[in-house]
């Protein structure tokens, strides 16, 4: 029996104001914590199998701003709404997945393993702020409930461990 607590994914992007697609996304962050109770069984002296359940908590934040310039057939002009919030979504979710692993001991000093972790589908539920900059006479921002669907992909790992001597091993 075992228990693990770790992050499976974590990412953050923060684009500069000169990024051409800042209207699509200016900032995004995904934070996760995975709780993983597991059980393993030694089938033979050389072969073991294990499995577990993933309880994944994720918190997400994504935002978009108006671009710094406006392109028209007549040219490129500074945007008076530049940097103003177009939308911002913050929320969290708990989702479940599973994993399975196999371990084969090739020799006293060498073993090979394979591990599969299932995909996890999250619905980051929270509030989205939709806004324009009221300093320029635009409509002030509004807030509403929103969901962002995020699928964290499945993972397959294969690993090899070998003890070179009693004090040094490679993995």
């Amino acid at each position: 029996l075992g228990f693990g607590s770790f992050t499976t994914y974590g990412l953050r992007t923060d684009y500069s104001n000169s990024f051409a697609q800042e209207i699509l996304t200016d900032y995004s962050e995904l934070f996760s914590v995975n709780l993983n109770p597991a059980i393993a069984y030694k089938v033979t002296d050389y072969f073991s199998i294990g499995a577990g359940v993933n309880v994944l908590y994720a918190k997400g934040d994504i935002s978009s701003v108006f671009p710094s310039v406006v392109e028209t057939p007549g040219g490129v002009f500074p945007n008076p709404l530049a940097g103003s919030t177009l939308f911002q979504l913050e929320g969290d979710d708990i989702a479940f997945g599973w994993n399975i692993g196999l371990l084969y001991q090739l020799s006293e000093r060498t073993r090979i393993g394979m591990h599969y972790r299932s995909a996890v589908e999250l619905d980051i539920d929270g509030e989205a702020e939709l806004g324009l900059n009221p300093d320029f006479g635009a409509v002030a921002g509004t807030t509403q409930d929103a969901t962002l669907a995020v699928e964290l992909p499945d993972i397959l790992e294969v690993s090899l461990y070998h003890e070179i001597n009693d004090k040094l091993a490679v993995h």
Side-chain angles (χ1 to χ4, degrees), residues 44-58:
T44 70
D45 287 341
Y46 301 101
F47 179 70
S48 299
I49 186 169
V53 175
N54 299 316
V55 180
L56 182 74
Y57 168 78

Side-chain angles (χ1 to χ4, degrees), residues 38-44 46-52 99-104 114:
I39 188 168
Y41 179 72
K42 190 171 188 177
V43 179
T44 70
Y46 301 101
F47 179 70
S48 299
I49 186 169
N99 59 81
I100 188 166
L102 306 172
L103 182 68
Y104 187 78
M114 185 168 61

